[in-house]
Amino acid sequence: MANLPATKLHSMKKMHLWLAASLLLAACGPSIDPEAYLEERTAQAAAVDDAVNSKLAFRSLSDYTRGDQKWNVQVGYVNGKPVLLKMFAADSRQQKWWIYTDTATGKVNFLKEETAGKDGKGVRNVFGYQDTALIVSKAGQNPYEAADANDFRLKAAEVNKVYSEVLAAVEADRPDLSKAAN
């Protein structure tokens, strides 16, 4: 490169910089419109609810313990695949979760939550995920504000971990049921 004219060397450096910038932009992938993504996930969730309810394909587990909290859990299936995990507080907490998964990957793509706000009134939160990224989070019509930095709902990997743990517990054989019932 030392024998190249300065203008040619400068031009090559520009091309390398352009190539590096192009690769970085390509790695980021296409941008996703959060509102359109939320609309699509909400419609998919409604379709899953309808499909699961029409087939009445559920497995249930009462008093599932997660940390110091108890939950009543239902897993909904379509074509033998788990697509919906419902978790309802088994005590006086006003907390309900609906976790929806992608049937191809088994990863969580949408979470709906009903809970009590600081004022004691009901709040509906929604979270949309793609792969390992949080795409959109809303509380009612407003952006969602996390209670603290450890809010698992803002981390797709954590939501997938919760889903996997609860699904495993629901699908595990229960000693109180016969082999045929399991």
Side-chain angles (χ1 to χ4, degrees), residues 8 12 18 24 27-28 58 72 78 85 88 90 101 105 111 116 120 122 127 174 181:
K8 181 91 169 164
M12 287 178 69
W18 178 85
L24 280 173
C28 294
F58 289 101
N72 293 322
V78 172
L85 174 69
F88 301 102
T101 60
T105 65
L111 183 147
F127 305 86
R174 292 180 27 196

Side-chain angles (χ1 to χ4, degrees), residues 59 61 75 77 80-82 166-174 182:
R59 281 190 79 166
L61 179 62
V75 176
Y77 296 82
K81 291 185 177 188
V166 177
L167 179 64
V170 172
E171 291 187 335
D173 285 348
R174 292 180 27 196
N182 276 312

Side-chain angles (χ1 to χ4, degrees), residues 9-169:
L9 189 57
H10 181 71
S11 168
M12 287 178 69
K13 284 183 182 178
K14 276 186 172 179
M15 184 162 49
H16 286 285
L17 285 173
W18 178 85
L19 182 60
S22 297
L23 290 173
L24 280 173
L25 286 173
C28 294
S31 64
I32 297 173
D33 175 17
E35 291 301 319
Y37 191 81
L38 178 60
E39 191 175 307
E40 177 186 322
R41 291 294 181 231
T42 301
Q44 287 176 347
V48 166
D49 288 337
D50 289 345
V52 168
N53 289 333
S54 70
K55 295 179 188 285
L56 297 176
F58 289 101
R59 281 190 79 166
S60 299
L61 179 62
S62 298
D63 292 331
Y64 169 75
T65 302
R66 183 172 184 273
D68 61 348
Q69 299 175 335
K70 294 225 181 246
W71 297 85
N72 293 322
V73 181
Q74 278 189 332
V75 176
Y77 296 82
V78 172
N79 298 328
K81 291 185 177 188
V83 293
L84 171 60
L85 174 69
K86 296 179 184 181
M87 296 178 66
F88 301 102
D91 52 28
S92 61
R93 289 175 294 129
Q94 294 179 28
Q95 200 155 13
K96 300 175 185 174
W97 296 342
W98 292 262
I99 301 174
Y100 298 86
T101 60
D102 180 310
T103 56
T105 65
K107 299 220 181 257
V108 173
N109 61 22
F110 192 60
L111 183 147
K112 292 190 306 187
E113 174 187 50
E114 286 185 13
T115 189
K118 292 176 185 173
D119 59 1
K121 294 181 180 178
V123 177
R124 291 184 179 168
N125 302 320
V126 291
F127 305 86
Y129 312 93
Q130 186 172 36
D131 298 323
T132 58
L134 174 69
I135 303 299
V136 64
S137 58
K138 286 188 119 178
Q141 298 300 316
N142 304 311
Y144 177 79
E145 292 184 23
D148 59 38
N150 297 320
D151 189 339
F152 83 97
R153 292 164 291 207
L154 298 179
K155 302 170 187 165
E158 291 296 316
V159 175
N160 278 292
K161 182 179 173 186
V162 168
Y163 170 76
S164 296
E165 289 171 358
V166 177
L167 179 64

